[in-house]
Structures are given as C-alpha cells and as structure tokens.
Amino acid sequence: MYRYRESCRACGSKELVPVLNLGVQPLANEFVLPSEPHSGYAPLEVMFCPRCTLGQLSVVVDPAILYSEYRYVTSQSEMMFRHFEKITADIQRESGKDSSLVEIGSNDGTFLVYALHHGFGPVCGVDPAANLAQLALQYGINTVVRQFGTPAAALVAEFMPKVDVVLARHVFCHIDDWRGIICGLDVLSHKDTLVCIEVPDTEKMLANVEFDTIYHEHLSYLTVRSVIELLNGTNWHVHKVLRYSIHGGALMIMLRRNEWKERDSSVDAFEIGTLVTEEKWKAMALTAVVARYSLQKMVADLHAEGKTICGYGASAKSTVWVNACGFRKDDIAFITDTTPQKIGRFTPGTKIPIVDEAELLVRKPDYAVMFAWNYFQFIMQKNKAFLDGGGKFIVPVPTAKIVEHA
Ligand code: DWN
C-alpha cells in the first residue's frame, strides 16, 4: 500500500529530519460505503530537508489506491469562482488572451469550463481519476486519464502539440515523481510557455497551525526555495511568485523556460531559505497537539452539558481532525456535506456517517464543527437559518473557538 522515501524529492539530499508525526492514519479521502472495506492505514510523518526547505511525507501511498476513484470534487462555491477570476486575470496578464491551456489535476473540469468561457482555448485536462474524467466529459472537457509525466504529455501532444499555459492547482504536492513532471513540461512547451503551479503556502500553514492539511495525498509542503533547487540543471526557472488567500493561503509559482531571460523581483524574497525552517515545523507540531486537545476538551465539555454536535464539511481535513482526536459517532454524530459522491458514506477510520447538508436544519444539532473552515465567510453567510435558530459553529483552527454570528 505504501513505500518509504529515502531522499528529498526536490534536491536529492538524504539528510532529512523528522519534524511532525501524526501516527498511523487512514486515507483522508477514502469515504467508504457501509458495505465496503477500506485500504488500511499508513504512517503520517513529515520529514524536513534542511538543504532546500522542502517538507515531505516519509511514505508514498500507491497513487492507484488514492486516485482511481477520487471523491473530492472542485468546489463550485462563489468564493472559488472569485479565485478563478483572480488567477485567470493574473495568468492572462502574463500569457495574453486566447492562450491554449492544459490543466494538470483537472478534477471534474470545473476550472477548464470557466477558462473556456474566459478567453482560453483550446483546453485539455490531465487527471488520474476516471470517475472525474467522466464528469468532465459531460461538461465538454477532454481529460487524459493519467498522472502527469512524459507519457501523459505525449498523449496531450497528439492533439495539442505545443501549449501556451500549463496550470497545476494544488496538485504538485500530490505527485511523487517531480523529475517526470519536468520531462512532461519539456514535451508540451514552446519557448514562451508559462507554467503556473498553485500550492498551499507552507509558511502560512505553519503560522496558522493548519496541521489538518497534512495527509497522505499531500506528499510535499513546498517552498519556492525547494522549487528553485528542483529546477537546477533543467530547462526551467522560477519567473514570478504571487500570493492568494484561498484555502488558508496559497502561492502561485510561475515558471518560464530558460530562454526567457527576465525574472520578476517577487522571487527575490523567497530565494533565501529562512521563511520555512526546521524550527518553525517543530514549533507547529507542538502547537498542533494543543489545538487537538482544545477541540477534544470542547467536545467533551459540551457533551457533558447534554449538547449535540455534528461536523460541517466532510473535507479531507475533517478526516485528519476526527482521527487525530480519536472522535467516534458518540462525539460527532454525523458530518454534513454537499458532495453527492460523499453522502451515504463514512468518515475514513470511523463509523461517522456523511449526510446531506440539508440535514443540518432537520436534525438541528446545537453545534457544528466547521471542518471546511477555509470557506468560513461563505459558510457563515449561507447558514443564517442554522445560526438564527440557535445553532453555533465551532471553528477548530488555530485552536477551537465557538462562533455564533456572521
Ligand atoms: O489538495 C486538496 C484540496 C485543495 O482540496 C485535496 N487533496 C483535497 C481537498 O481538500 P479538502 O477536502 O480539505 O478541501 P475543501 O475544499 O476544504 O473541502 C470542503 C468540503 O466541504 C467538500 O467536501 C465540500 C464541503 N462543503 C460543504 O459541504 N458545504 C463545502 C462548502 C463550502 C459548503 O458550504
């Protein structure tokens, strides 16, 4: 099911240091039906590379287990579309309109549909999840069903030989073979190709104690410094870096081929390796213990008062929280979600059922733990009826806090 990785994925160093250990955990997006077995458990430990500052899991779970039937579907929230608007403007400022676009990790094609309507074309997706490629096809988006690398790039090149923009949103951290990605980019690129890699901002993740974004799919916790190191000796360099607020903080790392001589000054601040350090990782690991304790205690105290508690948003983060805190159905009675692919299934590692979001107003729990805290504003506005009826949210990060009003 998994194998250990001995060297740094970016720079090859073997001097990796353990910085955070969440024990042995189930796979965060493996929401099984009551009748189905699950794949099992794997160690969840982060190793830090002092040479290039990359954080990375000690193990690599077989991608065929993680992705062939993937249940995370790109959010169609207003907030996500506002983010699409921003990144489209930023990319087109660099690439111009009418650019051809390939998205690595295209999921159900939500972004590519948006891109087609906002000046990009032709477009094509690459994603290993066959179930999501089927959904994308219904929206008119073609997907090469594979992990990205040279073979996938060769398949794309059959109908899109050279591509203006390659976009990879929150997917670089899912792929083990980074050299394979770079080789694939070589196949698809011309001298002006722009590569846009959106990744969680590790510096923000550490500062905000977002330990719940650490799970088996997220093999790497990137820094610009580590990408610079990865690109050493390749045809590519880091050209520009932008910051976004989505998902608790993200970076857009833009790459250009080496023929492109200019480099934006936004890269300078990231070049030194002091934004993310071994000490910051270890400090976060300690604070994460306090964060877990604060939610466990709050849930136990509320139960002692006779209150009922559910979860809101069966995110991958919810799986990490529930398993790290050791919650069972008696602690969190159910978790609501809007994703049809998750409803009727269990939170991995537990018998906590996922139910339709409409159940929040039917079952009327006293408290709902907001496991999709990255959509805080959106969720508070959307759930006025729950709040007006006396319901309260518990926001678990950075430490558990009760929120009653929008
Ligand atoms: O990298 C990854 C990121 C970006 O997204 C993946 N490996 C998987 C995924 O992580 P996640 O599951 O923690 O992502 P979200 O977007 O925080 O998941 C939110 C969940 O909550 C979804 O299942 C949808 C659900 N939801 C809901 O039920 N009501 C979300 C909103 C906004 C809502 O109002």
Side-chain angles (χ1 to χ4, degrees):
M1 177 188 173
Y2 63 87
R3 64 181 169 76
Y4 282 91
R5 210 195 138 97
E6 307 295 341
S7 60
C8 173
R9 183 169 290 116
C11 72
S13 167
K14 292 201 168 177
E15 311 294 315
L16 305 181
V17 185
V19 284
L20 185 145
N21 195 335
L22 290 172
V24 174
Q25 294 281 343
L27 307 180
N29 270 312
E30 197 180 47
F31 296 90
V32 291
L33 288 170
S35 55
E36 281 172 354
H38 61 80
S39 305
Y41 294 77
L44 196 49
E45 182 179 31
V46 180
M47 311 294 287
F48 179 77
C49 176
R51 186 155 104 192
C52 76
T53 73
L54 183 73
Q56 50 216 299
L57 296 190
S58 60
V59 300
V60 178
V61 173
D62 180 356
I65 296 177
L66 290 175
Y67 301 115
S68 46
E69 183 78 17
Y70 199 49
R71 300 198 185 280
Y72 172 76
V73 180
T74 305
S75 164
Q76 302 254 357
S77 66
E78 198 188 310
M79 194 179 137
M80 188 58 87
F81 284 107
R82 277 206 300 272
H83 181 60
F84 287 174
E85 205 180 311
K86 256 191 229 143
I87 61 174
T88 298
D90 288 334
I91 294 171
Q92 288 181 343
R93 203 167 295 125
E94 284 285 324
S95 71
K97 280 207 165 192
D98 304 321
S99 303
S100 56
L101 174 82
V102 167
E103 186 182 13
I104 305 174
S106 46
N107 198 272
D108 67 345
T110 297
F111 178 76
L112 290 177
V113 172
Y114 181 93
L116 265 181
H117 286 99
H118 291 82
F120 287 103
V123 303
C124 172
V126 180
D127 199 295
N131 63 319
L132 297 177
Q134 279 299 331
L135 280 179
L137 198 58
Q138 288 171 20
Y139 306 141
I141 300 295
N142 284 319
T143 308
V144 168
V145 182
R146 274 182 182 253
Q147 279 262 16
F148 187 76
T150 309
L155 288 172
V156 173
E158 283 178 15
F159 51 100
M160 279 171 77
K162 294 291 168 196
V163 177
D164 301 322
V165 179
V166 179
L167 175 65
R169 301 189 46 251
H170 293 267
V171 70
F172 222 76
C173 49
H174 293 236
I175 299 179
D176 182 32
D177 178 14
W178 283 3
R179 306 274 154 199
I181 300 182
I182 303 297
C183 294
L185 293 176
D186 285 343
V187 172
L188 284 181
S189 57
H190 55 70
K191 69 176 181 26
D192 294 326
T193 296
L194 177 72
V195 176
C196 301
I197 301 171
E198 187 183 331
V199 290
D201 184 344
T202 305
E203 192 190 347
K204 286 262 160 53
M205 185 263 243
L206 295 179
N208 299 339
V209 198
E210 294 161 12
F211 79 94
D212 52 356
T213 58
I214 296 171
Y215 43 90
H216 299 104
E217 287 168 26
H218 291 171
L219 296 170
S220 305
Y221 302 84
L222 275 95
T223 60
V224 177
R225 176 87 198 82
S226 61
V227 178
I228 291 173
E229 195 68 44
L230 168 76
L231 297 177
N232 254 335
T234 71
N235 294 318
W236 299 88
H237 65 273
V238 176
H239 163 70
K240 191 174 192 171
V241 184
L242 301 171
R243 281 186 193 273
Y244 297 120
S245 58
I246 193 89
H247 291 309
L251 297 178
M252 178 71 90
I253 306 175
M254 293 182 165
L255 315 184
R256 290 281 197 187
R257 286 188 63 106
N258 293 340
E259 294 93 313
W260 190 280
K261 294 292 172 215
E262 296 150 42
R263 190 183 87 161
D264 192 82
S265 57
S266 56
V267 185
D268 300 348
F270 293 94
E271 203 159 21
I272 45 155
T274 52
L275 299 177
V276 173
T277 59
E278 182 182 331
E279 290 68 33
K280 287 186 190 174
W281 265 105
K282 285 182 171 165
M284 194 276 245
L286 276 181
T287 321
V289 175
V290 178
R292 265 143 59 195
Y293 176 71
S294 83
L295 185 63
Q296 281 166 327
K297 179 162 173 10
M298 188 176 280
V299 166
D301 290 350
L302 290 171
H303 273 300
E305 290 170 26
K307 305 293 185 197
T308 49
I309 306 174
C310 79
Y312 186 98
S315 55
K317 297 182 285 291
S318 75
T319 305
V320 178
W321 273 107
V322 162
N323 285 282
C325 291
F327 289 145
R328 292 294 170 259
K329 205 165 167 286
D330 292 344
D331 306 299
I332 305 281
F334 57 92
I335 300 182
T336 66
D337 203 276
T338 47
T339 318
Q341 288 86 341
K342 294 182 183 174
I343 295 166
R345 293 169 179 269
F346 289 138
T347 292
T350 75
K351 293 276 180 238
I352 300 175
I354 315 298
V355 303
D356 192 301
E357 193 172 84
E359 290 291 313
L360 193 65
L361 292 181
V362 178
R363 302 194 194 190
K364 293 193 177 67
D366 297 308
Y367 292 84
V369 183
M370 197 188 287
F371 290 125
W373 51 260
N374 41 326
Y375 298 102
F376 176 79
Q377 289 296 352
F378 176 73
I379 290 171
M380 292 301 283
Q381 279 159 18
K382 184 173 156 188
N383 289 285
K384 269 187 79 53
F386 171 65
L387 293 161
D388 289 348
K392 298 180 181 66
F393 279 110
I394 298 172
V395 181
V397 289
T399 47
K401 187 174 76 183
I402 293 172
V403 187
E404 304 185 26
H405 305 291

